[in-house]
Amino acid sequence: MHHDLSYQSIKPSKNLSDFVDSFWCMENKSDQTLETIGLPDGRIDLSLIKTPETSFQIRLLGLGTQQYEKGKIPANSLTFVISFKLLAAEYIFHESIADLLNSGKILNLDFWDFNENDLENFELFCKKASAKIHSLLLKEVDHRKQKLFSLIYETKGTMTVKELSEKANWSSRQINRYFNQYFGISLKEYCSILRFRASLEHIAKGKLFPEEDFSDQTHFIKEVKKISGSLPKELFQNKNDRFILLSALSSQ
């Protein structure tokens, strides 16, 4: 990773783990804007960002299904992020994020009572964000949905739709209707993204062959290229640290 780019991550408390993947922060301490290639990771990101040009902003980024070439980390910028799991759409945000597929939006500056001062201390930000998220949990989670997402994340997307449907006791037709309504993609598409994300951990270590998540080498290369737009070996080379998710993984 670029020596002027710092990254830190904190996992949520157990009572929020069904809804939050992680809290993380990234700071570009240099005077140069760093160009990146963003990669899909299956998360919904709420970010607080401060740059010399835009001052303070709060942004919500929906699910990504493909790489985006023109990602940038502004010079002298600081970003705090809450990366949410999918259940957060219904139970935390209380709305669909389907219209944010491969896109995002800028939120009001007082969204969830956040403000520019929250960027002064990452640990305090995590505590404030956790308390706010907990307060927004207005209803008990449907046990079928809780079971479904638990299986999806535990297996990193390797189970088939049929297997997930049977184990969650929820019809595949109803599941896909729910996924398309709330997230804008099918369950199968989402599982492919999670398998891709898991494969990055292997690729970062130079393992350019399929692990247990892919049937063979051809399938592995095809899936990685389809989602990232790059071959496994190109991701491993990570030229100029442009593949930001891979950079983040390799820094931990």
Side-chain angles (χ1 to χ4, degrees):
M1 178 177 284
H2 195 285
H3 66 278
D4 287 323
L5 189 64
S6 63
Y7 175 90
Q8 182 183 355
S9 177
I10 294 177
K11 285 295 183 181
S13 59
K14 186 176 181 180
N15 65 336
L16 292 181
S17 60
D18 283 340
F19 312 98
V20 178
D21 177 272
S22 61
F23 303 93
W24 55 276
C25 65
M26 186 179 299
E27 183 175 11
N28 179 5
K29 301 176 182 178
S30 75
D31 295 326
Q32 300 294 320
T33 293
L34 303 177
E35 294 186 358
T36 70
I37 293 179
L39 298 173
D41 59 13
R43 306 184 300 189
I44 307 162
D45 286 345
L46 177 68
S47 62
L48 279 62
I49 182 169
K50 182 179 181 181
T51 73
E53 290 77 21
T54 61
S55 187
F56 177 69
Q57 285 187 342
I58 303 177
R59 304 172 181 172
L60 181 63
L61 186 66
L63 285 179
T65 63
Q66 58 198 17
Q67 70 159 323
Y68 47 94
E69 290 280 1
K70 297 182 179 179
K72 294 181 182 298
I73 305 175
N76 300 302
S77 64
L78 177 62
T79 308
F80 287 2
V81 182
I82 312 170
S83 284
F84 290 95
K85 295 181 179 179
L86 293 196
L87 271 178
E90 178 180 359
Y91 291 94
I92 304 298
F93 292 97
H94 309 297
E95 63 181 7
S96 166
I97 61 158
D99 62 337
L100 295 180
L101 187 68
N102 292 314
S103 66
K105 63 181 179 180
I106 297 176
L107 304 175
N108 293 333
L109 290 179
D110 60 349
F111 183 81
W112 284 4
D113 301 319
F114 287 131
N115 59 70
E116 187 173 347
N117 293 332
D118 290 316
L119 287 169
E120 294 178 359
N121 187 299
F122 181 54
E123 291 188 4
L124 289 180
F125 163 75
C126 293
K127 290 179 181 179
K128 178 177 179 177
S130 295
K132 182 63 179 181
I133 293 167
H134 191 269
S135 73
L136 291 168
L137 277 169
L138 302 178
K139 59 180 179 177
E140 188 175 345
V141 180
D142 184 316
H143 71 277
R144 298 173 306 170
K145 296 172 184 175
Q146 193 167 35
K147 178 67 172 179
L148 174 68
F149 283 107
S150 176
L151 289 169
I152 290 171
Y153 292 122
E154 285 175 5
T155 62
K156 299 179 180 179
T158 58
M159 293 183 69
T160 66
V161 173
K162 182 180 179 181
E163 290 172 325
L164 289 167
S165 170
E166 291 173 349
K167 290 185 178 294
N169 195 29
W170 194 13
S171 77
S172 57
R173 185 175 180 179
Q174 290 176 323
I175 291 173
N176 277 313
R177 185 183 300 122
Y178 176 75
F179 262 71
N180 280 292
Q181 175 187 347
Y182 271 94
F183 317 120
I185 63 173
S186 69
L187 171 56
K188 184 177 180 180
E189 287 177 295
Y190 185 67
C191 286
S192 293
I193 292 170
L194 292 188
R195 285 201 311 273
F196 165 75
R197 178 182 171 185
S199 74
L200 290 179
E201 298 179 34
H202 306 302
I203 293 172
K205 297 174 183 176
K207 299 179 180 179
L208 307 182
F209 50 86
E211 299 291 320
E212 67 276 6
D213 302 345
F214 297 89
S215 57
D216 54 42
Q217 180 77 3
T218 301
H219 179 223
F220 173 64
I221 293 174
K222 182 179 179 181
E223 284 294 301
V224 170
K225 180 70 183 294
K226 177 182 177 181
I227 295 176
S228 72
S230 303
L231 297 172
K233 64 180 181 181
E234 293 172 332
L235 291 174
F236 174 63
Q237 290 168 354
N238 196 16
K239 294 179 181 177
N240 302 317
D241 287 330
R242 291 181 302 130
F243 297 105
I244 190 59
L245 178 56
L246 187 58
S247 295
L249 283 168
S250 62
S251 73
Q252 299 178 48

